[in-house]
């Protein structure tokens, strides 16, 4: 699958222009040819690239795993802290909300200190806050520490796309991109599976200690990994060769720039750009439904089928299977459909709308999966039926997300890509943080069939979104106030 991945900070193509090197040392300049330099990540051996890909994916997986691993502990939190059923979801929702906010700080830091430093800080700080979460004796302390753990891990989910763009050439980026994108999707799906065994045997505190273990392994990986951010590596090489590098912009300017591209402009694009707004709404809803299931699945399968806590947690494996199936379908769409368009059009001028096929498929599969789940989750029907619906849901969810990511990357240029991606991330995690707070009440008051059907009806209203963009996307691009693709 060939996938163009843009740096989440809009700096995938940023590098130190060798022409800017002071011309006082011509001999040193001659020694420094960045394109052929062995320290250029594009020139690294495949083994080194793949090792760093595994480390980056592991850190992203650990960060996303932390969001849902505590979900099976809902009843234990109620019993231990004496909080309401709704409040017991706050340790989950505060973590998810923080995942959306963390990149606002982590982004500019990765552009000054480098990617490696941010990964080290994310794994170390995330692990420490998770450790504190496991030791805390107050519910407020648990929520606060979980928030900071999510905030620490947030950057690791955003700068990974920059690592891909900096390390793999477009021709070799397809499979690595797909493998990386899988990691933050598998984390929420496998979190309850891991968490349910821990909660059942050791108690909820060990879910946080488990996150500490993943953080420790991630930290070791980050420490042995290499820096991938080109400007940082170039500056080091210039110093080694005795070349004076260009002056770095002040940190205040970098922070101001990222505040614009990472928060202010994304909010503006979300409400003024139909393409960004529509995709934000659709992807955020699908992600919200996913996190809604973290509370609903345990209730549904325990009340309808009499599943134990562990059996209910194993149901989440269906999401992981669906995610892998969806990734396969995306690769097939790319191979059989998008690559044909690449051969039809001039180089790098394929209309962005051809990226929307997986989303169009996902838009049909999403309501189908929700309605199947709604009306087959009955005691007189085998649980295999609603579980199969969950597999379809997982596939449609990743289809929508990846397609939207690719489409935004092709539509917008330069830092506008970063802002469109940030808008999607803010909406996705923001809505996902809210859904669990009412999921249990929704299913208890309306029943399984109608509570799920309500979500299905909403998904039907959003179904036309990728189809409308496929038909009218070019017209919307031409009317945009931002720089967009014109072909």
């Amino acid at each position: 699958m060939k996938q163009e991945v843009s740096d989440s900070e809009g700096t995938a193509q940023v590098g130190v222009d060798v022409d800017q090197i002071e011309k006082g040392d011509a001999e040193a300049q001659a020694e420094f040819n960045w394109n052929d330099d062995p320290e250029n990540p594009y020139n690294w051996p495949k083994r080194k690239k793949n090792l760093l890909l595994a480390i980056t994916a592991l850190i992203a997986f650990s960060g996303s795993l932390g969001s849902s691993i505590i979900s099976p502990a809902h009843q234990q939190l109620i019993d231990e802290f004496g909080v309401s059923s709704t409040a017991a979801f706050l340790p989950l929702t505060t973590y998810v909300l923080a995942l959306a906010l963390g990149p606002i700080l982590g982004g500019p830091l990765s552009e000054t200190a480098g990617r490696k430093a941010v990964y080290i800080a994310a794994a170390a700080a995330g692990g420490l806050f998770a450790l504190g979460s496991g030791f805390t004796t107050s519910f407020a302390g648990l929520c606060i520490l979980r928030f900071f753990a999510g905030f620490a891990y947030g950057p690791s989910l955003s700068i990974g796309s920059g690592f891909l763009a900096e390390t793999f050439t477009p021709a070799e980026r397809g499979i690595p991109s797909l493998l990386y994108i899988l990691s933050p999707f598998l984390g929420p799906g496998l979190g309850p599976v891991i968490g349910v065994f821990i909660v059942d045997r050791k108690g909820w505190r060990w879910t946080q200690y488990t996150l500490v273990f993943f953080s420790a392994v991630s930290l070791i990986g980050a420490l042995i990994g290499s820096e991938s951010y080109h400007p940082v590596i170039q500056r080091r090489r210039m110093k080694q060769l005795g070349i004076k590098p260009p002056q770095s912009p002040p940190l205040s300017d970098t922070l101001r720039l990222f505040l614009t591209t990472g928060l202010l402009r994304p909010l503006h694009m979300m409400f003024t750009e139909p393409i960004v707004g529509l995709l934000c709404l659709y992807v955020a809803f699908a992600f919200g439904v996913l996190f809604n299931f973290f509370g609903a699945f345990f209730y549904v399968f325990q009340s309808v089928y009499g599943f134990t806590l562990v059996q209910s947690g194993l149901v989440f494996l269906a999401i992981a299977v669906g995610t892998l199936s969806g990734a396969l379908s995306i690769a097939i769409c790319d191979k059989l459909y998008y690559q044909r368009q690449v051969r039809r059009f001039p180089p790098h001028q394929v209309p962005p709308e051809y990226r929307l096929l997986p989303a169009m498929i996902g838009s049909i599969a999403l309501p189908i999966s929700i309605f199947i789940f709604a009306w087959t989750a009955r005691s007189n029907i085998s649980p295999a039926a609603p579980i199969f619906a969950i597999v379809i849901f997982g596939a449609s969810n990743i289809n929508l997300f990846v397609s939207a990511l690719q489409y935004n990357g092709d539509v917008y240029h330069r830092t506008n890509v970063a802002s469109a991606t940030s808008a999607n991330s803010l909406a996705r995690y923001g809505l996902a943080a809210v859904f669990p707070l009412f999921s249990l009440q929704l299913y208890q008051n309306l029943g399984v069939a109608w509570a799920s059907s309500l979500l299905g009806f909403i998904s039907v209203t959003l179904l036309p979104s990728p189809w409308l963009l496929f038909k009218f996307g070019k017209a919307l691009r031409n009317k945009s106030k931002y720089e967009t693709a014109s072909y």
Side-chain angles (χ1 to χ4, degrees), residues 30 48 51 87 115 151 209 224 238 309 372 381 406 416 444 461 469 483 487:
K48 185 175 181 179
L51 174 62
R115 312 295 191 198
F151 190 84
Y209 302 149
I224 65 174
M238 289 179 185
L309 180 67
I372 291 176
I381 298 178
Q406 292 177 328
N416 294 332
Q444 288 173 338
T461 63
L469 290 176
E483 184 182 1
Y487 39 83

Side-chain angles (χ1 to χ4, degrees), residues 58 91 105 124 127 129 191 234-235 303 364 386 441:
L58 173 62
L105 177 62
F129 285 120
Q234 288 171 328
R235 289 180 183 280
S303 63
I364 296 174
Q441 297 91 320

